[in-house]
Amino acid sequence: MPTTEEIVQKDFEVEIQARIDAERARLRAEAGLARMREFKKPIERTFTGPERDYVTILFGGLTWKHEEMIKAVFHGSGYLCENIPTPVVDDFQAGKEFGNNGQCNPTYFTVGNLVRHLQKLEQQGQTRQQIIDNYVFFTAGSCGPCRFGMYEAEYRFALQNAGFDGFRVLLFQQTDGIKAASGEPGLKFSVDFGMGMLNALNLGDVINELVYQVRPFEVNKGETDRVIRESVKTLTDTLRDRKRWHIMDAAPAWAKPHLEKNKKLTGISCTLGKIGHNLYGKEYIDALHTCRDSINAIEVDRFRVKPVIKITGEFWAQTTEGDGNFNMFAFLEKEGAQVLVEPIATWIAYMMFVAKEGAKARADAEAPYRDPKWYEVKKRVANDLKVLKKTSGLSAGSVMWNYFYHRTIKHMGDTAHHLIPQKELSRLAHPFYHQLARGGEGYMEVGKNVYYTVNHLCHMVLALKPFGCMPSTQSDGVQSRVVNKFKDMIFLPIETSGEGEVNAHSRVQMALAEAKSKARAEFDGVLQKTGRSLDELREYVDAHPHLKRALYKVPHHEGVAGTAAQFVLHVSDLMQKDKAYRPRTATPTPILQVA
């Protein structure tokens, strides 16, 4: 039984709490907040399995190469799918009209792009209810110190304002991998679908880099674009139409009765077989080699001196190929530059690395046993095993991701750049930017700027980011210290929006003039070092046509960034080793000594 003192104390506390609640209610009423309710995410109508036959999945926001590959995988998995066209300035204006104020321009471009696409469907004769019932939008989601975490809510808000309230948005969480946040049975992630998406992203990345690697040096203008489109069609046809492998079709007759009885064995065998077929199947490999041979047949002139411009920045701004980044890639090529684009694979490798390092950093706080003594072996082992359990899967995933990406590069001619180890990028950036500082590209903007500069892999780094992007603003603040340390670095950050294209292009032209001068000086220095004339080098290349092939692999020489300078050194080395060429070289005139 409670004592009299305890009862009095309890009554006193109840009275004090009642007074606090009453005063809080009075203040809320005076402020007009009495009717406020806690926000709850609206319950959305699900996307179910039976709807697959008539509901079309919409997606967009990447390059056309990536989107064609992804669409082919969707179609091959039995889904109706369409990719939304590349966003333009009118989409930006629509995003501002129907969306919230203060969003970054990728939000305005992508949100407005979806709204205007639905409006076009309505103009073509479909009712709004038909559009809501027959289409869903598939996009990425996130969280953290970036407006990217608000994309889902922004899509819903803009769609509601545009008159498409109830339109479904399927969210793909970047923190969940291939686990859809919606969890809808209408969108199932099978082995074929997952492996198909892996191939689609890798192929999109490699093809995208090959375009910018070959096109600046093509002899016949327009040939690269034509061949790439034909190659993309070959690959998408393969991804879409290839036969789906199943263990019961491939197994010998004597094994089928055993497989029918053992469902678990059938499931494991089928999964492993599907993975092998998607990655190593003859049909898939033959398609890669066909495209490789087509691209390799393009004739190029690598003696053209062009500054190499490495693109970094915010994910969407550095990826899109339209008004969202002021059509920057096309502008750079028009101005005589060679563009070095960033693959999506780098972003995925970054996410896995940060997740792994974050788990290590939280190990002490999340350990089952806090501060075990040196002799408490079991407790120390238990703590270590918990960390290992979290990081081993991510380590294995990183190794596999790198392996399959580089394997795609190898089958496509082995000239695209390999992924930079995230540990190296983190190490280079860490003196300026902590590896676990989240938001946007994290440490990668700083790390890539330092990496490409100290290794002489480009003449200039161009960082494209949205206007007012907080993570990119943080990175730019750090970059000023980076530039002061590396005096030969040419770094230019460009904030993109729906307006200001002329001003942005003007700033790029000024920095590009310095990069061109740097590339020309490098080329002239290398040419002088070889002791050969450009005409001699061209004559040798004309006599060896394989050197003009687009996918001919030119060895990298340390300290040289330009493609033309690299090629001069390589051709000079070949001439030096070529026995058939040596007799044709002039015999040095002996020096006569005067007595």
Side-chain angles (χ1 to χ4, degrees), residues 388-450:
L388 182 63
K389 183 179 179 181
K390 286 189 173 182
T391 60
S392 58
L394 290 167
S395 297
S398 297
V399 171
M400 292 174 63
W401 179 257
N402 280 269
Y403 169 75
F404 288 124
Y405 183 75
H406 296 151
R407 178 175 170 272
T408 304
I409 290 176
K410 182 179 179 181
H411 283 292
M412 292 296 291
D414 203 20
T415 60
H417 289 78
H418 284 211
L419 297 178
I420 307 170
Q422 289 295 318
K423 189 173 183 179
E424 176 67 6
L425 287 180
S426 173
R427 183 188 68 81
L428 292 172
H430 197 68
F432 312 98
Y433 202 102
H434 196 282
Q435 67 174 6
L436 296 180
R438 296 184 59 201
E441 292 274 296
Y443 61 79
M444 284 203 296
E445 286 191 48
V446 175
K448 284 186 280 190
N449 192 13
V450 177

Side-chain angles (χ1 to χ4, degrees), residues 60-101:
L62 302 175
T63 73
W64 70 267
K65 283 80 74 176
H66 290 88
E67 291 174 355
E68 288 298 315
M69 302 290 181
I70 292 172
K71 182 169 69 173
V73 174
F74 269 115
H75 286 169
S77 299
Y79 296 99
L80 300 176
C81 179
E82 292 179 9
N83 52 308
I84 302 176
T86 302
V88 295
V89 173
D90 288 342
D91 297 323
F92 173 84
Q93 300 297 344
K96 295 186 71 173
E97 177 184 354
F98 296 109
N100 281 305
N101 293 326

Side-chain angles (χ1 to χ4, degrees), residues 92 103-110 316 324-325 465-467 496-498:
F92 173 84
Q103 296 296 315
C104 55
N105 71 289
T107 312
Y108 288 138
F109 270 104
T110 54
W316 187 82
N325 63 9
K465 63 272 308 276
F467 175 78
T496 61
S497 67

Side-chain angles (χ1 to χ4, degrees), residues 9 15 18 55 102 105 146 261 274 329 375 392 447 478 496 575:
Q9 179 66 24
E15 181 180 356
V55 171
N105 71 289
C146 177
K261 293 178 182 178
K274 283 179 176 292
F329 303 153
Y375 55 81
S392 58
V478 174
T496 61
M575 293 172 69

Side-chain angles (χ1 to χ4, degrees), residues 450-459 488 518 522 556-562 566:
V450 177
Y451 180 86
Y452 279 89
T453 299
V454 299
N455 290 289
H456 302 283
L457 298 175
C458 71
H459 299 103
D488 60 338
K518 190 175 180 181
E522 176 187 66
H556 177 73
H557 292 76
E558 295 293 334
V560 180
Q566 293 277 5

Side-chain angles (χ1 to χ4, degrees), residues 107-122:
T107 312
Y108 288 138
F109 270 104
T110 54
V111 169
N113 193 24
L114 174 60
V115 169
R116 292 187 70 238
H117 184 75
L118 299 186
Q119 290 175 336
K120 289 176 183 177
L121 294 176
E122 186 179 15

Side-chain angles (χ1 to χ4, degrees), residues 182-256:
S182 61
E184 308 298 348
L187 187 60
K188 291 184 177 180
F189 291 90
S190 63
V191 176
D192 284 321
F193 183 80
M195 292 297 101
M197 283 297 178
L198 172 68
N199 289 333
L201 289 175
N202 286 343
L203 289 171
D205 279 343
V206 175
I207 289 287
N208 194 45
E209 180 172 345
L210 291 179
V211 171
Y212 292 102
Q213 182 186 101
V214 176
R215 188 165 53 200
F217 304 99
E218 63 183 7
V219 173
N220 302 310
K221 187 175 178 59
E223 184 179 8
T224 302
D225 289 337
R226 177 185 62 79
V227 172
I228 288 296
R229 288 197 174 275
E230 293 173 356
S231 298
V232 168
K233 185 177 186 309
T234 298
L235 294 170
T236 54
D237 288 347
T238 302
L239 292 175
R240 182 186 64 244
D241 300 332
R242 63 187 303 185
K243 183 180 179 182
R244 268 45 186 174
W245 190 92
H246 197 279
I247 185 64
M248 297 307 294
D249 297 328
W254 61 266
K256 291 182 179 180

